[in-house]
Coordinates of all heavy atoms in Angstrom, one line a residue:
I341 N 30.0 91.3 -176.5 CA 29.8 90.3 -175.5 C 28.2 90.1 -175.3 O 27.6 91.0 -174.9 CB 30.5 90.5 -174.2 CG1 31.9 90.9 -174.4 CG2 30.3 89.4 -173.2 CD1 32.8 89.7 -175.0
T342 N 27.7 89.0 -175.6 CA 26.3 88.7 -175.4 C 26.1 87.9 -174.2 O 26.4 86.7 -174.2 CB 25.7 88.1 -176.6 OG1 26.1 88.8 -177.8 CG2 24.2 88.0 -176.6
V343 N 25.3 88.4 -173.2 CA 25.1 87.7 -172.0 C 23.5 87.4 -171.8 O 22.8 88.5 -171.7 CB 25.6 88.5 -170.7 CG1 25.3 87.7 -169.4 CG2 27.1 88.7 -170.9
L344 N 23.1 86.3 -171.8 CA 21.7 85.9 -171.6 C 21.6 85.8 -170.1 O 22.1 84.8 -169.5 CB 21.3 84.6 -172.3 CG 19.9 84.2 -172.2 CD1 19.0 85.2 -172.9 CD2 19.8 82.8 -172.9
G345 N 20.9 86.7 -169.5 CA 20.8 86.7 -168.0 C 19.7 87.6 -167.5 O 19.2 88.5 -168.2
D346 N 19.4 87.5 -166.2 CA 18.3 88.1 -165.6 C 18.9 89.1 -164.5 O 19.7 88.7 -163.7 CB 17.3 87.1 -164.9 CG 16.0 87.7 -164.5 OD1 16.0 88.9 -164.1 OD2 15.0 87.1 -164.6
V347 N 18.4 90.4 -164.5 CA 18.9 91.3 -163.5 C 18.6 90.9 -162.1 O 19.2 91.4 -161.1 CB 18.5 92.7 -163.9 CG1 19.1 93.2 -165.1 CG2 16.9 92.8 -163.9
K348 N 17.6 90.0 -161.9 CA 17.3 89.5 -160.6 C 18.2 88.4 -160.1 O 18.0 88.0 -158.9 CB 15.8 89.0 -160.6 CG 14.8 90.0 -161.1 CD 13.4 89.5 -160.9 CE 13.0 88.3 -161.7 NZ 12.9 88.7 -163.1
S349 N 19.1 88.0 -160.9 CA 20.1 86.9 -160.6 C 21.4 87.5 -160.1 O 22.2 88.0 -161.0 CB 20.3 86.0 -161.8 OG 21.3 85.1 -161.5
L350 N 21.6 87.5 -158.8 CA 22.9 88.0 -158.2 C 24.1 87.2 -158.8 O 25.1 87.9 -159.2 CB 22.8 87.9 -156.8 CG 24.2 88.3 -156.0 CD1 24.5 89.7 -156.3 CD2 24.1 88.1 -154.5
D351 N 24.0 86.0 -159.0 CA 25.2 85.1 -159.5 C 25.5 85.6 -160.9 O 26.7 85.8 -161.3 CB 24.8 83.6 -159.5 CG 24.8 83.1 -158.1 OD1 25.3 83.8 -157.2 OD2 24.2 82.0 -157.9
R352 N 24.5 85.8 -161.8 CA 24.7 86.2 -163.2 C 25.3 87.6 -163.3 O 26.2 87.9 -164.1 CB 23.4 86.1 -164.0 CG 23.6 86.1 -165.5 CD 24.5 85.0 -166.0 NE 24.5 84.8 -167.4 CZ 25.5 84.3 -168.1 NH1 26.6 83.9 -167.5 NH2 25.3 84.2 -169.4
I353 N 24.7 88.6 -162.5 CA 25.2 89.8 -162.5 C 26.7 89.9 -162.0 O 27.5 90.6 -162.6 CB 24.3 90.8 -161.5 CG1 22.9 90.9 -162.2 CG2 25.0 92.1 -161.3 CD1 22.9 91.7 -163.4
D354 N 27.0 89.2 -160.9 CA 28.3 89.2 -160.3 C 29.3 88.6 -161.3 O 30.4 89.2 -161.5 CB 28.4 88.5 -159.0 CG 29.6 88.9 -158.2 OD1 29.7 89.9 -157.7 OD2 30.5 87.9 -158.1
W355 N 28.9 87.5 -162.0 CA 29.8 87.0 -163.0 C 30.1 87.9 -164.1 O 31.3 88.0 -164.6 CB 29.1 85.6 -163.5 CG 29.9 85.0 -164.6 CD1 30.9 84.1 -164.5 CD2 29.8 85.2 -166.0 NE1 31.4 83.7 -165.7 CE2 30.8 84.4 -166.7 CE3 29.1 86.0 -166.8 CZ2 31.0 84.4 -168.0 CZ3 29.2 86.0 -168.2 CH2 30.2 85.2 -168.8
T356 N 29.1 88.6 -164.6 CA 29.3 89.5 -165.7 C 30.2 90.6 -165.3 O 31.1 91.0 -166.1 CB 27.9 90.1 -166.1 OG1 27.0 89.1 -166.5 CG2 28.1 91.1 -167.3
F357 N 30.1 91.3 -164.1 CA 30.9 92.3 -163.7 C 32.4 91.9 -163.4 O 33.3 92.6 -163.7 CB 30.3 93.0 -162.5 CG 29.3 94.1 -162.8 CD1 28.0 93.7 -163.1 CD2 29.7 95.4 -162.8 CE1 27.1 94.8 -163.5 CE2 28.8 96.4 -163.1 CZ 27.5 96.1 -163.4
S358 N 32.5 90.7 -162.8 CA 33.8 90.3 -162.4 C 34.6 89.9 -163.6 O 35.8 90.1 -163.7 CB 33.7 89.0 -161.5 OG 33.1 87.9 -162.1
K359 N 34.0 89.3 -164.7 CA 34.6 88.9 -165.8 C 35.0 90.0 -166.9 O 36.1 90.0 -167.3 CB 33.8 87.8 -166.6 CG 34.6 87.1 -167.7 CD 33.8 86.0 -168.2 CE 34.5 85.3 -169.5 NZ 35.8 84.7 -169.0
F360 N 34.1 91.0 -167.0 CA 34.2 91.9 -168.1 C 34.5 93.4 -167.6 O 34.9 94.3 -168.3 CB 33.0 92.0 -169.0 CG 32.7 90.6 -169.6 CD1 31.6 90.0 -169.2 CD2 33.6 90.1 -170.5 CE1 31.3 88.7 -169.8 CE2 33.4 88.9 -171.1 CZ 32.2 88.2 -170.7
R361 N 34.3 93.6 -166.3 CA 34.6 94.9 -165.6 C 34.1 96.0 -166.4 O 34.9 97.0 -166.9 CB 36.1 95.1 -165.4 CG 36.8 93.9 -164.6 CD 36.5 94.2 -163.1 NE 37.1 93.1 -162.3 CZ 37.4 93.3 -161.0 NH1 37.2 94.4 -160.3 NH2 37.8 92.2 -160.3
P362 N 32.8 96.2 -166.6 CA 32.3 97.4 -167.4 C 32.5 98.7 -166.6 O 32.5 98.8 -165.4 CB 30.8 97.1 -167.5 CG 30.5 96.2 -166.3 CD 31.7 95.4 -166.1
Q363 N 32.9 99.7 -167.4 CA 33.2 101.0 -166.9 C 31.9 101.9 -166.8 O 31.9 102.8 -166.0 CB 34.3 101.7 -167.7 CG 35.6 100.9 -167.6 CD 36.5 101.3 -168.8 OE1 36.4 100.8 -169.8 NE2 37.5 102.1 -168.5
V364 N 31.1 101.8 -167.9 CA 29.9 102.6 -167.9 C 28.6 101.6 -168.0 O 28.7 100.7 -168.9 CB 29.9 103.6 -169.1 CG1 28.6 104.4 -169.2 CG2 31.1 104.5 -169.0
I365 N 27.6 101.7 -167.2 CA 26.5 100.9 -167.3 C 25.3 101.7 -167.6 O 25.0 102.7 -167.0 CB 26.3 100.2 -165.9 CG1 27.5 99.3 -165.6 CG2 24.9 99.4 -165.9 CD1 28.5 99.9 -164.8
F366 N 24.5 101.3 -168.6 CA 23.2 101.8 -168.9 C 22.1 100.8 -168.5 O 22.0 99.8 -169.2 CB 23.1 102.2 -170.4 CG 24.0 103.3 -170.8 CD1 25.2 103.0 -171.4 CD2 23.7 104.6 -170.5 CE1 26.1 104.0 -171.7 CE2 24.6 105.6 -170.9 CZ 25.7 105.4 -171.5
H367 N 21.4 101.1 -167.5 CA 20.4 100.2 -166.9 C 19.0 100.4 -167.5 O 18.3 101.3 -167.0 CB 20.4 100.3 -165.4 CG 19.5 99.3 -164.8 ND1 19.6 97.9 -165.0 CD2 18.4 99.5 -163.9 CE1 18.5 97.3 -164.2 NE2 17.9 98.2 -163.6
A368 N 18.7 99.7 -168.6 CA 17.4 99.9 -169.2 C 16.5 98.7 -169.1 O 15.4 98.6 -169.6 CB 17.6 100.1 -170.8
A369 N 16.9 97.7 -168.3 CA 16.1 96.6 -168.1 C 15.0 96.9 -167.1 O 15.2 97.3 -166.0 CB 16.9 95.4 -167.5
A370 N 13.7 96.7 -167.5 CA 12.6 97.1 -166.6 C 11.3 96.5 -167.2 O 11.1 96.3 -168.4 CB 12.5 98.6 -166.4
Y371 N 10.4 96.1 -166.2 CA 9.0 95.9 -166.7 C 8.3 97.2 -166.7 O 8.3 97.9 -165.7 CB 8.3 95.0 -165.7 CG 8.9 93.5 -165.8 CD1 8.8 92.7 -164.6 CD2 9.4 93.0 -166.9 CE1 9.2 91.4 -164.7 CE2 9.9 91.7 -166.9 CZ 9.8 90.8 -165.8 OH 10.3 89.6 -165.8
K372 N 7.6 97.6 -167.8 CA 7.1 98.9 -167.9 C 5.6 99.0 -168.3 O 5.0 100.0 -168.3 CB 7.8 99.6 -169.0 CG 7.7 99.0 -170.5 CD 8.5 99.8 -171.5 CE 8.3 99.1 -172.8 NZ 9.0 99.8 -173.9
H373 N 5.0 97.8 -168.5 CA 3.6 97.8 -168.9 C 2.7 98.0 -167.7 O 2.6 97.0 -166.9 CB 3.2 96.6 -169.7 CG 1.9 96.7 -170.5 ND1 0.8 96.2 -170.1 CD2 1.7 97.3 -171.7 CE1 -0.2 96.5 -171.0 NE2 0.3 97.1 -171.9
V374 N 2.0 99.2 -167.5 CA 1.3 99.4 -166.3 C 0.3 98.4 -165.9 O 0.3 97.9 -164.8 CB 0.7 100.9 -166.4 CG1 -0.3 101.1 -165.2 CG2 1.8 101.9 -166.4
P375 N -0.8 98.1 -166.8 CA -1.7 97.1 -166.3 C -1.1 95.7 -166.0 O -1.6 95.0 -165.1 CB -2.7 97.0 -167.6 CG -2.5 98.3 -168.3 CD -1.0 98.6 -168.1
M376 N 0.0 95.3 -166.7 CA 0.5 94.0 -166.4 C 1.1 94.0 -165.1 O 1.0 93.0 -164.3 CB 1.6 93.7 -167.5 CG 2.1 92.3 -167.5 SD 0.9 91.0 -167.8 CE 0.5 91.3 -169.5
I377 N 1.8 95.0 -164.7 CA 2.5 95.1 -163.4 C 1.4 95.2 -162.2 O 1.6 94.8 -161.1 CB 3.5 96.3 -163.3 CG1 4.5 96.2 -164.3 CG2 4.1 96.3 -161.9 CD1 5.2 94.8 -164.4
E378 N 0.2 95.8 -162.6 CA -0.8 96.0 -161.6 C -1.4 94.6 -161.2 O -1.7 94.4 -160.0 CB -2.0 96.8 -162.2 CG -1.8 98.3 -162.3 CD -1.5 98.9 -160.9 OE1 -2.5 99.0 -160.1 OE2 -0.4 99.3 -160.6
I379 N -1.3 93.6 -162.1 CA -1.8 92.3 -161.7 C -0.7 91.4 -161.4 O -0.9 90.3 -161.0 CB -2.7 91.7 -162.9 CG1 -1.9 91.6 -164.2 CG2 -4.0 92.5 -163.0 CD1 -2.7 90.8 -165.3
N380 N 0.5 91.8 -161.6 CA 1.7 91.1 -161.1 C 2.7 92.0 -160.4 O 3.9 92.2 -160.8 CB 2.5 90.5 -162.4 CG 1.7 89.5 -163.2 OD1 1.6 88.3 -162.9 ND2 1.0 90.0 -164.2
P381 N 2.2 92.5 -159.3 CA 3.1 93.5 -158.5 C 4.4 93.0 -158.0 O 5.4 93.7 -158.0 CB 2.2 94.0 -157.4 CG 1.1 92.9 -157.2 CD 1.0 92.3 -158.5
A382 N 4.3 91.7 -157.5 CA 5.6 91.1 -156.9 C 6.6 91.1 -158.0 O 7.8 91.4 -157.7 CB 5.3 89.8 -156.4
E383 N 6.3 90.7 -159.2 CA 7.3 90.5 -160.3 C 7.8 91.9 -160.7 O 9.0 92.2 -161.0 CB 6.8 89.8 -161.5 CG 6.5 88.3 -161.3 CD 7.8 87.6 -160.8 OE1 8.8 87.8 -161.4 OE2 7.7 87.0 -159.8
G384 N 6.9 92.9 -160.7 CA 7.4 94.3 -160.9 C 8.4 94.7 -159.9 O 9.4 95.4 -160.3
V385 N 8.1 94.5 -158.7 CA 9.1 94.9 -157.6 C 10.4 94.1 -157.8 O 11.4 94.8 -157.7 CB 8.4 94.6 -156.2 CG1 9.5 94.7 -155.1 CG2 7.3 95.6 -155.9
R386 N 10.4 92.8 -158.0 CA 11.6 92.1 -158.1 C 12.4 92.6 -159.2 O 13.7 92.7 -159.1 CB 11.2 90.6 -158.3 CG 10.7 89.9 -157.1 CD 11.7 89.5 -156.1 NE 12.7 88.6 -156.7 CZ 14.0 88.5 -156.3 NH1 14.4 89.2 -155.4 NH2 14.8 87.6 -156.9
N387 N 11.8 92.9 -160.4 CA 12.6 93.3 -161.6 C 13.0 94.8 -161.5 O 14.2 95.1 -161.7 CB 11.8 93.0 -162.8 CG 12.6 93.0 -164.1 OD1 13.3 92.1 -164.4 ND2 12.5 94.2 -164.8
N388 N 12.1 95.6 -161.2 CA 12.4 97.1 -161.3 C 13.1 97.6 -160.1 O 13.9 98.5 -160.2 CB 11.1 97.8 -161.5 CG 10.4 97.5 -162.8 OD1 10.9 96.8 -163.6 ND2 9.3 98.1 -163.0
V389 N 12.9 96.9 -158.9 CA 13.5 97.5 -157.7 C 14.8 96.7 -157.4 O 15.9 97.1 -157.2 CB 12.6 97.5 -156.5 CG1 13.2 98.1 -155.2 CG2 11.4 98.5 -156.8
I390 N 14.5 95.3 -157.1 CA 15.6 94.5 -156.6 C 16.6 94.3 -157.8 O 17.8 94.3 -157.5 CB 15.0 93.1 -156.2 CG1 14.0 93.3 -155.2 CG2 16.2 92.3 -155.7 CD1 14.5 94.3 -153.9
G391 N 16.2 94.2 -159.1 CA 17.1 94.1 -160.1 C 18.0 95.3 -160.3 O 19.1 95.2 -160.5
T392 N 17.3 96.5 -160.2 CA 18.2 97.7 -160.2 C 19.2 97.7 -159.1 O 20.4 98.1 -159.3 CB 17.2 98.9 -160.1 OG1 16.3 98.9 -161.2 CG2 18.0 100.2 -160.1
R393 N 18.7 97.3 -157.9 CA 19.6 97.3 -156.7 C 20.9 96.4 -157.0 O 22.0 96.8 -156.7 CB 18.9 96.9 -155.5 CG 19.7 96.9 -154.2 CD 19.0 96.3 -153.1 NE 19.7 96.4 -151.8 CZ 19.4 95.9 -150.6 NH1 18.2 95.3 -150.6 NH2 20.1 96.0 -149.6
L394 N 20.6 95.3 -157.5 CA 21.7 94.3 -157.7 C 22.7 94.8 -158.7 O 23.9 94.7 -158.5 CB 21.1 93.0 -158.2 CG 20.3 92.2 -157.2 CD1 19.8 90.9 -157.8 CD2 21.2 91.9 -155.9

Side-chain angles (χ1 to χ4, degrees):
I341 307 295
T342 306
V343 180
L344 185 62
D346 194 325
V347 293
K348 301 189 294 292
S349 170
L350 175 59
D351 289 344
R352 193 60 166 153
I353 291 294
D354 196 70
W355 178 86
T356 303
F357 274 80
S358 64
K359 187 170 181 64
F360 302 113
R361 302 280 175 160
Q363 296 161 282
V364 181
I365 297 94
F366 293 99
H367 181 54
Y371 291 153
K372 62 181 183 179
H373 196 260
V374 170
M376 188 65 69
I377 303 306
E378 285 299 289
I379 59 175
N380 295 277
E383 289 307 308
V385 167
R386 289 281 299 153
N387 195 79
N388 295 356
V389 178
I390 306 307
T392 299
R393 181 185 183 184
L394 293 178

